[in-house]
């Protein structure tokens, strides 16, 4: 059973370009979370999605950032007009919906975004 | 004040030592507590998952939760060089799917 998959693993963009980060959850998992990790900092929650629905986007910056989890295909985190401050590691996590308290989150390897 | 506080370290110990890692938190609504291990340039890996106060043991790892003090701990017995990593505490309010709030992580180095 493959784990959470993210691609690309490394992404370099120039200021003003768009960045698209992809996440495929573990098989059988219907919940996807995106987190951002800045250097020397812990992971910060960005957004929580289920298929075709955004459940909680309280951690998303108000501008330039968007996320989706379509019925078919991976979840996408999109950053428009990137700035140097967007340089970070972006992690995706997925969890099943068990309802019994065991729905922990399993993380992918991350996408490291560098903005030049 | 951050919701979750964690000493960043680094913590350097000899092989075989007992390691104690700790986090404090301010929000009494947190009910579920986790410890993740993160190797350099890798994704976090779940180590321990506990609910409410008490102890949980898994091999060389023991997680403790003291809700009255808002304090959680991870103990590593017989530490190995392969334990060298950053350890992140995380917590959430609901047993259902819910966002995790992380500490900043403690960097641990175990030397031979």
């Amino acid at each position: 059973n493959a784990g959470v998959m993210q691609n690309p693993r490394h992404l370099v963009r120039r200021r003003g370009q768009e960045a698209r980060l992809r996440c495929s959850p573990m098989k059988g998992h219907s919940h996807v979370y995106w987190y951002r990790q800045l250097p020397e900092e812990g992971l910060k929650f960005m957004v929580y999605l289920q298929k075709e629905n955004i459940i909680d986007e309280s951690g998303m910056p108000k501008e330039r950032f968007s996320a989706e989890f379509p019925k078919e295909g991976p979840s996408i985190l999109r950053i428009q007009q990137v700035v140097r401050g967007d340089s970070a590691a972006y992690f995706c996590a997925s969890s099943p919906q068990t309802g019994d308290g065991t729905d922990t989150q399993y993380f992918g390897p991350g996408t490291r975004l560098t903005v030049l | 004040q951050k919701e979750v506080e964690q000493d960043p370290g680094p913590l350097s110990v000899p092989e075989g030592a007992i390691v104690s890692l700790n986090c404090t938190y301010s929000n009494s609504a947190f009910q579920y507590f986790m410890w993740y291990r993160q190797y350099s340039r890798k994704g976090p890996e779940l180590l321990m998952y506990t609910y409410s106060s008490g102890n949980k043991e898994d091999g060389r790892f023991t997680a403790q939760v003291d809700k009255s003090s808002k304090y959680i701990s991870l103990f590593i017995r017989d530490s190995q060089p392969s334990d060298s990593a950053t350890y992140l505490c995380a917590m959430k309010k609901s047993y259902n799917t819910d966002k995790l709030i992380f500490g900043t992580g403690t960097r641990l180095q175990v030397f031979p």
Side-chain angles (χ1 to χ4, degrees):
Chain A
N1 185 13
V4 178
M5 300 178 68
Q6 290 188 249
N7 67 82
R9 296 291 306 276
H10 301 275
L11 183 61
V12 179
R13 285 287 178 266
R14 297 191 179 279
R15 282 179 295 170
Q17 292 184 320
E18 179 179 286
R20 284 190 179 228
L21 289 63
R22 295 175 185 78
C23 169
S24 295
M26 288 179 69
K27 187 176 181 180
H29 287 194
S30 57
H31 303 262
V32 166
Y33 306 77
W34 286 93
Y35 294 82
R36 177 165 62 177
Q37 187 174 38
L38 294 168
E40 306 303 322
E41 292 189 18
L43 283 81
K44 303 291 186 187
F45 168 78
M46 299 181 74
V47 63
Y48 161 36
L49 310 104
Q50 295 179 22
K51 287 283 187 181
E52 299 184 283
N53 282 305
I54 296 174
I55 307 302
D56 181 355
E57 57 181 348
S58 59
M60 286 279 271
K62 299 297 181 195
E63 298 177 347
R64 301 187 298 108
F65 286 72
S66 62
E68 63 177 10
F69 189 15
K71 187 177 181 181
E72 301 290 339
S75 175
I76 306 286
L77 179 67
R78 182 183 179 204
I79 311 172
Q80 294 178 291
Q81 299 175 343
V82 296
V83 300
R84 289 215 173 107
D86 296 332
S87 295
Y90 291 82
F91 290 96
C92 169
S94 72
S95 71
Q97 185 174 14
T98 61
D100 61 1
T102 63
D103 44 355
T104 53
Q105 296 177 26
Y106 297 88
F107 284 80
T111 293
R112 280 158 183 81
L113 172 65
T114 301
V115 179
L116 302 177
Chain B
Q1 182 187 8
K2 292 180 180 178
E3 278 193 289
V4 180
E5 299 276 0
Q6 186 175 7
D7 188 335
L11 183 62
S12 185
V13 302
E15 183 174 356
I18 296 174
V19 175
S20 173
L21 303 165
N22 311 294
C23 286
T24 59
Y25 61 96
S26 57
N27 193 336
S28 58
F30 289 129
Q31 299 283 341
Y32 294 83
F33 305 91
M34 287 134 276
W35 287 94
Y36 285 84
R37 177 174 62 194
Q38 186 176 25
Y39 291 111
S40 180
R41 307 190 74 76
K42 301 290 186 183
E45 171 193 8
L46 180 66
L47 282 177
M48 300 289 281
Y49 179 66
T50 54
Y51 167 67
S52 198
S53 288
N55 293 358
K56 182 176 182 179
E57 187 174 323
D58 184 1
R60 296 185 295 113
F61 298 92
T62 299
Q64 284 187 353
V65 175
D66 182 349
K67 290 192 68 183
S68 62
S69 302
K70 298 190 181 68
Y71 187 87
I72 67 171
S73 300
L74 178 70
F75 297 95
I76 308 174
R77 291 183 298 280
D78 187 25
S79 56
Q80 303 294 312
S82 58
D83 294 329
S84 299
T86 296
Y87 289 80
L88 301 159
C89 65
M91 47 199 78
K92 64 176 182 174
K93 299 172 188 175
S94 168
Y95 80 94
N96 255 329
T97 48
D98 192 11
K99 63 187 178 188
L100 298 178
I101 307 300
F102 280 88
T104 51
T106 299
R107 192 180 307 169
L108 171 67
Q109 183 172 7
V110 181
F111 56 90

